[in-house]
Amino acid sequence: MSLKSNDILIDRKIRELLSNRDERALTEVQTRWGKLLYGLAFRITGSAADAEECINDALLDLWQRPPIDPKMPVLAYVSTLVRRRAVDRVRYNTAERRVGASYACALDELDECLADPEGQGDTEVSAIRDALQAFLDELDEKNRTVFLLRYYGAFSNRDVARRCGMGERAVEMRLNRMRKRLRQLLNAYGIYL
């Protein structure tokens, strides 16, 4: 995925505003990507209030810790922050049996492959990131789309099937095979979780 020149200019503008501690950076992020971020948070949490709270928390995180890596697009960085906040919210809600969320099922599916990077050393987190990138690179376009829609985009298996023109059972089988392959690849990288 390559960025268009307009996207690069927007990224630079937001980075400059953040480095100057200008609050317009947060407004710019909300204006440009607010709906996308809300959709991501809502699909994970299943709650409008929780989604809004996750976005607000992620924007505070962005303000306090702007992206360091100049190669990482701001949208990718802030999406990751929103996703992490939303996953934390689902874990909090399900741990206390406050609400059930469809995303908790997706988290359980990946637990067999990936550990929570919190508390892991930078070297191991980097190795996991590299292995995951190698895994995604080896997938064909359809499998990559299915995997990312399910585990990054937080879509249900039914929604993934609909978006990819497949049956729900076919999506489940593909995801099962991909999780097994990811586990093998992590082991090949010397990562045993």
Side-chain angles (χ1 to χ4, degrees):
M1 175 176 106
S2 62
L3 292 175
K4 295 180 256 178
S5 61
N6 189 38
D7 295 333
I8 293 170
L9 293 174
I10 292 167
D11 245 36
R12 284 185 189 152
K13 176 183 176 185
I14 292 172
R15 285 176 188 278
E16 183 179 322
L17 290 170
L18 284 169
S19 67
N20 291 333
R21 307 302 290 165
D22 189 331
E23 292 181 17
R24 289 182 296 169
L26 302 179
T27 303
E28 191 72 27
V29 168
Q30 285 181 306
T31 301
R32 295 207 177 273
W33 304 309
K35 288 181 182 178
L36 181 116
L37 298 173
Y38 176 82
L40 175 63
F42 184 80
R43 281 190 306 277
I44 295 171
T45 64
S47 161
D50 284 345
E52 288 292 334
E53 186 174 333
C54 291
I55 291 170
N56 290 335
D57 289 346
L59 290 174
L60 179 61
D61 292 343
L62 175 66
W63 181 256
Q64 292 173 341
R65 291 179 308 279
I68 297 171
D69 184 357
K71 295 177 193 169
M72 177 179 266
V74 174
L75 176 58
Y77 182 76
V78 79
S79 295
T80 300
L81 294 175
V82 168
R83 184 178 177 283
R84 285 181 185 161
R85 286 297 186 156
V87 168
D88 288 346
R89 173 56 60 178
V90 167
R91 286 184 175 146
Y92 173 78
N93 288 342
T94 56
E96 294 294 322
R97 304 225 186 267
R98 290 181 178 86
V99 277
S102 63
Y103 195 60
C105 180
L107 292 176
D108 288 342
E109 290 171 10
L110 275 183
D111 269 351
E112 66 188 52
C113 298
L114 299 173
D116 186 4
E118 297 293 326
Q120 308 245 348
D122 288 341
T123 305
E124 188 166 346
V125 170
S126 178
I128 292 171
R129 183 182 59 238
D130 293 345
L132 188 55
Q133 186 61 53
F135 169 74
L136 291 172
D137 288 344
E138 79 177 23
L139 294 176
D140 63 37
E141 185 176 344
K142 188 159 200 159
N143 281 337
R144 186 179 317 113
T145 300
V146 167
F147 189 87
L148 291 174
L149 285 173
R150 177 68 174 137
Y151 298 120
Y152 190 82
F155 287 92
S156 68
N157 286 349
R158 178 178 296 156
D159 289 337
V160 172
R162 188 177 43 78
R163 286 174 173 264
C164 294
M166 302 169 60
E168 191 172 344
R169 183 71 180 135
V171 167
E172 291 171 8
M173 293 302 295
R174 279 180 190 245
L175 290 169
N176 189 34
R177 284 192 299 267
M178 285 188 276
R179 286 192 308 272
K180 286 179 182 175
R181 175 63 189 126
L182 176 58
R183 178 81 140 150
Q184 292 170 348
L185 188 65
L186 288 170
N187 291 343
Y189 272 72
I191 302 166
Y192 301 94
L193 304 173

